C-alpha cells in the first residue's frame, strides 16, 4: 500500500515538474518574482539561519550591506528553484548558451593524456546546470557524487533530471569502487564533488577557518582523489546575469598523491571562500552549515585510530 502511494506521488510529481518545465523562461522568472515576495517577506524562509550565517561570515559589513546580500540571496534562490525545474526540458543548445565553461581546453588536455579529473564545486550559482559539462569535454565519463534520497521514487526522479545530459550520478557509498572500475576500463573520468556540506559528527576529522568561523569539513573526497590520482581542479562559478552562469576551471594541483593530508581540502575551501566573497548572494546561506561546533565535538567525541567515537559516559542527546 505504501509503495503504491509513493509510486502515485512520484507520477504526480513527475507530471507537475514536466508541465512546469515546459513554460518559457520569462514566465518561470515571473513565478520566481512572486515566489521571492512570499519567501522573503511573508514566510521569511530560514530568515534567522540566513541572518546568523551572514553576520558571522561578514562581521565587517554593515546591517544595510548584510540586508542587501540577504535579499539578493532570496532572489537568486527562487531563480535557482525554477531553473532546476526547467532542467527537465532544456535542450543542449539552451544549456550551452546559459551555462558556459572556461578552461575546458586544459581539462581536455588532461583527459587526452588518460588522466582523470576531480572538480571541486560548492553550493554556489546553479550547480544543477553543471551536469551539462559532458557537452564541453571529450572522450571521458562525467559523473557527480551525490547523496541518494531516502525515498527511492523521488531519488529516481532527481537522478533522471540530473542525468538527462549524460552526467552520471554515483551514490557516495559507491564512489571509490565506481571510479576504480572506470580506471580499469581505461576510461578517464571527470568527477564533480560538492564538498561544502556539513559532515555528521562521526565523520568529522578536520576543522578549518572558513568564512570567519571554525568549520568541520568533509574529507572523504580528498581520500578518493588521492587514492585514484585525480588532478585537482576548482570550478569557480559566477552568475553573469539572470539565468546565465559561467564555471571557470583552474588546475590547483596535478600531482595529488604526494600532497600532505588535508591540503586538498584546505586549498578547496580557500578557493570557495574567494568565490563567495566576490558574489555572496549566490551562495546557499539557508543551510545551517555551522550547527556543529568544535566545543561540542570535543565535549562529546574523541578520535581513536582514525575513527570518531562517543566519549565514555556521554549520550547522543542532540
Amino acid at each position: 500500500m505504501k509503495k503504491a502511494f509513493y509510486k502515485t506521488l512520484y507520477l504526480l510529481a513527475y507530471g507537475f515538474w514536466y508541465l512546469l518545465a515546459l513554460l518559457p523562461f520569462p514566465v518561470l522568472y515571473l513565478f520566481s518574482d512572486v515566489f521571492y515576495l512570499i519567501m522573503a517577506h511573508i514566510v521569511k524562509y530560514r530568515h534567522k539561519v540566513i541572518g546568523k550565517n551572514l553576520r558571522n561570515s561578514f562581521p565587517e559589513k554593515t546591517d544595510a550591506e548584510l540586508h542587501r546580500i540577504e535579499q539578493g540571496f532570496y532572489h537568486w534562490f527562487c531563480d535557482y528553484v525554477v531553473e532546476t525545474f526547467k532542467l527537465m526540458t532544456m535542450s543542449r543548445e539552451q544549456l550551452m548558451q546559459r551555462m558556459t565553461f572556461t578552461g575546458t581546453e586544459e581539462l581536455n588536455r588532461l583527459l587526452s593524456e588518460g588522466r582523470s579529473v576531480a572538480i571541486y564545486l560548492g553550493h554556489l550559482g546553479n550547480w544543477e546546470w553543471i551536469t551539462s559539462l559532458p557537452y564541453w569535454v571529450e572522450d571521458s565519463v562525467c559523473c557527480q557524487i551525490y547523496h541518494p534520497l531516502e525515498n527511492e521514487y523521488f531519488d529516481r526522479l532527481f537522478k533522471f533530471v540530473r542525468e538527462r545530459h549524460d552526467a552520471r550520478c554515483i551514490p557516495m557509498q559507491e564512489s571509490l569502487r565506481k571510479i576504480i572500475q572506470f580506471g580499469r576500463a581505461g576510461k578517464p573520468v571527470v568527477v564533480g564533488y560538492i564538498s561544502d556540506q556539513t559532515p555528521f559528527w562521526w565523520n568529522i576529522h578536520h576543522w578549518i577557518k572558513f568564512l570567519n568561523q571554525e568549520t568541520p569539513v568533509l574529507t572523504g573526497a580528498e581520500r578518493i582523489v588521492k587514492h585514484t590520482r585525480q588532478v585537482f581542479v576548482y570550478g569557480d562559478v559566477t552568475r553573469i546575469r539572470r539565468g546565465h552562469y559561467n564555471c571557470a576551471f583552474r588546475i590547483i594541483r596535478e600531482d595529488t598523491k604526494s600532497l600532505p593530508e588535508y591540503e586538498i581540502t584546505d586549498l578547496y575551501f580557500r578557493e570557495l571562500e574567494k568565490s563567495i566573497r566576490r558574489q555572496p548572494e549566490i551562495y546557499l546561506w539557508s543551510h545551517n552549515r555551522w550547527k556543529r561546533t568544535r566545543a561540542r565535538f570535543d565535549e562529546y567525541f574523541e578520535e581513536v585510530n582514525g575513527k570518531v567515537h562517543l566519549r565514555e559516559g556521554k549520550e547522543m542527546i542532540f
Side-chain angles (χ1 to χ4, degrees), residues 119-123 145 147 172 191-199 208 210 215-222 225 232 264-265 268-269 272 283 289:
I119 298 178
Y120 271 75
L121 301 156
H123 286 92
I145 310 302
H147 288 283
M172 180 168 283
V191 187
Y193 300 92
I194 299 182
S195 296
D196 57 341
Q197 300 101 323
T198 303
I208 65 165
F210 174 57
T215 308
V217 294
L218 290 169
T219 55
E222 175 175 321
V225 169
F232 170 28
I264 291 174
T265 302
Y268 157 64
F269 275 97
L272 180 59
Y283 190 58
R289 200 170 311 283

Side-chain angles (χ1 to χ4, degrees), residues 227-245:
H227 184 82
T228 56
R229 298 180 180 270
Q230 296 175 49
V231 177
F232 170 28
V233 173
Y234 176 67
D236 187 7
V237 177
T238 54
R239 191 189 200 196
I240 300 168
R241 62 183 187 277
R242 194 175 203 183
H244 293 265
Y245 301 86

